[in-house]
Amino acid sequence: MNNTLDKSIADSPLPIVILISGGGSNLQAIIDRINDKTLNARICAVISNVADAFGLQRAKNANIATETIVHQKYDSREAFDTALIIKIEQYQPKLVVLAGFMRILSDDFVNHFSGKMINIHPSLLPKHRGLHTHRRALENGDKEHGLSIHYVSTELDGGPLILQKSIPVLANDTKESLASRVLTEEHQAYPKVIQWFAQQRVQLIDNRVIINNNPEYN
Ligand code: GAR
């Protein structure tokens, strides 16, 4: 597969909103690819449910609008998700990008953004949904581990897959070393997939993902 992003940027940038809860290294990778013009997207806002998430600082450093909606301030998951929908819609994104957003989403929220919300998950789904994926891969004796980028559906970490990248699990791997190598791959893969959306190459038809003009997926 050609891992370089398409440099021929003709159309207007894809407006995206990115949701985070933590360090935001994937957010940083997306910012960096926008800056070096290999990703034709515009980050309208970064929204965090954690007030001191370092990713908010990364966004501010890049002059990107930030919003904090702290879930503890809401009576219910539905009330928080409704506030989040309203906030996201203010920015009118064409794609909602979950980048380390550690919240279980209500069905109403997921359905509201059906077909236009993606997530990155640090495992080869359907293996290891949920948390502690690197530790579980080691405990399971997996020979391969990796990442998945998928549409968000109402099933936790269960939506249609767009891209997976696997790496070998090494004999001396710890959960930290494994996490670090997977994260490095995440930083390559997520901007690439968002660029596919910017190029309008990704389609969801009958719950199946079609990537146009990509020999690997035809
Ligand atoms: C990433 O490894 C991402 O795949 C994971 O959280 C990390 C966020 O890192 N997401 C999930 O586990 C979602 N189920 P980052 O804040 O440095 O981008």
Side-chain angles (χ1 to χ4, degrees):
M1 177 171 38
N2 180 3
N3 275 328
T4 57
L5 298 175
D6 188 342
K7 299 226 180 221
S8 62
I9 290 172
D11 300 320
S12 57
L14 180 76
I16 62 176
V17 164
I18 301 184
L19 271 51
I20 62 163
S21 301
S25 68
N26 277 289
L27 164 66
Q28 188 65 56
I30 295 164
I31 292 171
D32 291 347
R33 296 292 75 76
I34 291 173
N35 286 344
D36 71 18
K37 300 201 183 329
T38 51
L39 170 56
N40 187 22
R42 177 171 59 84
I43 305 173
C44 309
V46 170
I47 303 177
S48 174
N49 66 317
V50 176
D52 62 355
F54 181 63
L56 288 170
Q57 191 56 50
R58 294 182 191 270
K60 286 176 186 150
N61 293 346
N63 293 317
I64 296 165
T66 60
E67 305 276 0
T68 304
I69 306 183
V70 178
H71 56 266
Q72 288 93 339
K73 290 191 179 161
Y74 292 83
D75 290 343
S76 65
R77 185 176 303 283
E78 285 68 28
F80 169 79
D81 283 3
T82 300
L84 193 53
I85 289 173
I86 291 168
K87 187 56 75 184
I88 293 169
E89 287 294 6
Q90 284 174 6
Y91 290 96
Q92 302 192 315
K94 289 226 170 90
L95 186 69
V96 178
V97 175
L98 308 187
F101 188 61
M102 307 306 272
R103 287 281 299 170
I104 292 174
L105 302 165
S106 64
D107 288 1
D108 284 351
F109 184 90
V110 171
N111 290 331
H112 185 91
F113 294 108
S114 176
K116 53 183 286 195
M117 180 159 61
I118 61 174
N119 182 45
I120 189 162
H121 183 76
S123 79
L124 296 172
L125 292 171
K127 273 191 161 180
H128 311 310
R129 296 175 181 183
L131 299 174
H132 310 301
T133 59
H134 310 297
R135 191 187 75 205
R136 286 157 61 206
L138 287 174
E139 286 172 356
N140 200 44
D142 293 354
K143 297 277 179 278
E144 279 192 327
H145 187 44
L147 66 94
S148 304
I149 297 169
H150 62 94
Y151 280 100
V152 178
S153 74
T154 52
E155 191 185 352
L156 177 68
D157 297 325
L161 289 167
I162 303 168
L163 178 72
Q164 290 189 304
K165 169 81 185 179
S166 66
I167 60 166
V169 177
L170 307 177
N172 58 351
D173 257 329
T174 61
K175 64 181 191 307
E176 290 80 14
S177 64
L178 203 47
S180 166
R181 291 210 316 289
V182 170
L183 202 53
T184 299
E185 296 294 339
E186 291 186 36
H187 299 161
Q188 304 290 323
Y190 219 7
K192 180 167 73 174
V193 164
I194 297 167
Q195 174 66 356
W196 290 349
F197 278 89
Q199 295 169 317
Q200 301 184 10
R201 287 171 55 191
V202 190
Q203 285 176 283
L204 187 60
I205 298 172
D206 294 337
N207 227 28
R208 280 193 47 218
V209 176
I210 313 284
I211 316 282
N212 296 313
N213 303 323
N214 186 334
E216 187 163 320
Y217 290 91
N218 284 340

